[in-house]
Amino acid sequence: MAWHKAALVAAVISGLLLTLPAKSQDIEAVQLYSDAELVEMFATNEHITQVRDVDRCQLAQDIEAQAELERRPTYQFLYGDMKAWGICYDRDAEIGLLYMEKAAEQGLVEALEQLGRYYHEGRLVQQDIERAILYLREAASLGNLRAQQRFASILLNGYGSPYDYENAYHWLHNSVTGDTAKHREIQQQLAQLSERMPPSVVEEAKRPLE
């Protein structure tokens, strides 16, 4: 009779195992993101939605490892942003900002722009316009349109140096956007900057990007 009981137990266990995939099939293995995929997500601000809502935090350990051990700037920024706002991890704004800064030090334009925006707005950090200008100027020079517009706005509000007007005009004049409203904003900023610059400097600022 003992073998009958063993067979019955085995059958029950087998039946339970067969029912488990029905639930686990909903969660498929998620592949690690490429740097190009992350940059594209950063540009549309979809990285948090992807990690939290679509992939349900399955890559949290991998993201942390890529940021901490591999020191990949895209993952340092992703991890920092998630950590700062408590996405898939316990929230720690200080650690989050530290990793954003690590990414910025490696020249990741998205990290530079976001840190500049945070210091400009006083978000997570104390407002520091001068520090914001440093980050935004660098991001603007690397072609980030959001940084270029914010940098110009800060200058037009009386902060920074008049010596920055030419660069701000130069970057905006050569910017490209398919957004009609944003195009009008840029035209207005260019007109306001030109009022603060000699005509010869305005003409020089219209040179093509190198």
Side-chain angles (χ1 to χ4, degrees):
M1 295 296 292
W3 71 270
H4 286 294
K5 290 182 179 180
L8 180 61
V9 170
V12 171
I13 292 174
S14 177
L16 288 173
L17 290 175
L18 287 173
T19 63
L20 287 176
K23 293 183 179 180
S24 62
Q25 282 175 353
D26 293 336
I27 303 178
E28 298 180 357
V30 178
Q31 297 297 318
L32 203 63
Y33 316 120
S34 69
D35 291 325
E37 287 172 331
L38 283 176
V39 168
E40 186 175 343
M41 283 189 271
F42 296 154
T44 55
N45 201 31
E46 294 177 348
H47 53 291
I48 295 300
T49 300
Q50 180 69 37
V51 172
R52 180 189 60 198
D53 301 336
V54 178
D55 297 333
R56 289 177 273 191
C57 297
Q58 290 184 71
L59 292 178
Q61 289 185 335
D62 295 305
I63 290 168
E64 184 176 0
Q66 291 294 317
E68 185 173 348
L69 302 178
E70 298 298 327
R71 300 178 182 177
R72 291 170 66 180
T74 52
Y75 277 90
Q76 288 175 330
F77 177 64
L78 177 62
Y79 177 63
D81 207 19
M82 293 168 66
K83 192 71 175 174
W85 297 105
I87 307 299
C88 302
Y89 306 103
D90 292 334
R91 186 176 184 183
D92 190 325
E94 186 175 357
I95 292 295
L97 283 167
L98 174 64
Y99 274 87
M100 290 183 208
E101 288 168 356
K102 288 177 182 288
E105 288 170 2
Q106 294 203 62
L108 186 70
V109 67
E110 291 79 12
L112 290 161
E113 185 276 329
Q114 182 153 301
L115 286 169
R117 175 160 33 95
Y118 281 5
Y119 277 106
H120 182 215
E121 297 174 349
R123 195 174 187 188
L124 294 182
V125 294
Q126 298 303 309
Q127 187 180 52
D128 187 331
I129 302 299
E130 294 306 314
R131 190 176 295 187
I133 287 173
L134 292 176
Y135 283 117
L136 291 170
R137 184 193 290 118
E138 185 64 23
S141 72
L142 294 172
N144 186 278
L145 183 56
R146 285 181 294 186
Q148 290 169 352
Q149 285 200 271
R150 187 176 290 269
F151 180 58
S153 177
I154 290 174
L155 295 177
L156 291 169
N157 282 320
Y159 296 98
S161 168
Y163 292 107
D164 283 323
Y165 292 164
E166 182 178 349
N167 279 334
Y169 191 102
H170 175 60
W171 294 325
L172 284 177
H173 178 73
N174 288 284
S175 66
V176 178
T177 178
D179 187 318
T180 303
K182 191 173 292 294
H183 183 72
R184 284 197 299 267
E185 290 174 4
I186 292 170
Q187 287 182 315
Q188 291 171 358
Q189 288 182 309
L190 287 170
Q192 291 174 317
L193 284 168
S194 67
E195 292 174 358
R196 306 185 181 203
M197 301 160 59
S200 59
V201 177
V202 173
E203 289 305 311
E204 174 60 24
K206 291 180 180 179
R207 67 191 182 280
L209 292 172
E210 296 179 357

